[in-house]
């Protein structure tokens, strides 16, 4: 078969736009801004794989969707995010500098940050 008669290789599939929109909404609900990079670390895949999922170029594995949905459910049950923002508002209302608050938040984030993934699950 010559190169002219070979069918083109299909590198990516195209996922339905409504499914992509739901996935993006789920990802941002769980991880906030920068969710694609955080999702990659959470799922143990490369950033590029997570980007393909978010662009609808590749199907998201069912296990990843289940895990994300479970995390969203736990966030909603614990009201963690709302409690955190309420606490921040109360602290900032005391006049404590946002720079001081931010510094301590970075230290706290470093305390709970999981080890970086190498993306080896691709």
């Amino acid at each position: 078969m010559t190169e002219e008669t070979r069918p083109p290789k299909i590198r990516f599939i195209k996922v339905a736009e409504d499914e992509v929109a739901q996935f993006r909404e789920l990802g941002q609900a769980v991880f906030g801004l920068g969710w694609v990079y955080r999702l990659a670390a959470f799922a143990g895949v490369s950033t590029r794989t997570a980007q393909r999922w978010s662009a609808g170029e590749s199907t998201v594995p069912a296990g990843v969707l289940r895990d994300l949905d479970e995390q969203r459910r736990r966030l909603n049950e614990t009201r963690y995010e709302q409690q955190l923002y309420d606490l921040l508002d109360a602290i900032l209302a005391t006049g404590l500098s946002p720079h001081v608050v931010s510094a301590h938040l970075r230290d706290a984030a470093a305390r709970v940050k999981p080890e970086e993934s190498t993306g080896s699950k691709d």
Side-chain angles (χ1 to χ4, degrees):
M1 194 181 266
T2 67
E3 199 161 319
E4 294 171 357
T5 60
R6 279 191 200 133
K9 289 184 181 179
I10 299 175
R11 183 171 173 168
F12 303 109
I13 62 168
K14 189 66 179 163
V15 179
E17 190 56 40
D18 62 325
E19 291 178 30
V20 175
Q22 289 175 347
F23 173 67
R24 288 177 183 155
E25 181 181 308
L26 177 60
Q28 190 162 2
V30 172
F31 292 111
L33 299 176
W35 70 271
V36 174
Y37 303 99
R38 295 169 182 162
L39 170 66
F42 174 78
V45 299
S46 70
T47 300
R48 184 64 191 117
T49 295
Q51 289 169 334
R52 282 195 294 271
W53 293 342
S54 72
E57 297 172 349
S58 184
T59 304
V60 182
V64 171
L65 290 173
R66 270 193 310 273
D67 290 348
L68 281 176
D69 200 47
E70 174 66 14
Q71 292 302 305
R72 178 174 53 185
R73 184 187 65 75
R74 288 177 185 213
L75 275 171
N76 290 340
E77 281 179 2
T78 62
R79 296 189 62 245
Y80 157 75
E81 187 177 20
Q82 186 60 53
Q83 291 178 41
L84 179 61
Y85 286 111
D86 290 348
L87 179 60
L88 283 172
D89 289 343
I91 290 169
L92 292 170
T94 68
L96 193 59
S97 167
H99 295 284
V100 172
V101 174
S102 177
H104 287 273
L105 285 172
R106 279 193 298 273
D107 290 347
R111 182 176 161 199
V112 298
K113 185 176 181 178
E115 291 185 27
E116 291 297 317
S117 169
T118 60
S120 60
K121 290 187 183 178
D122 275 345

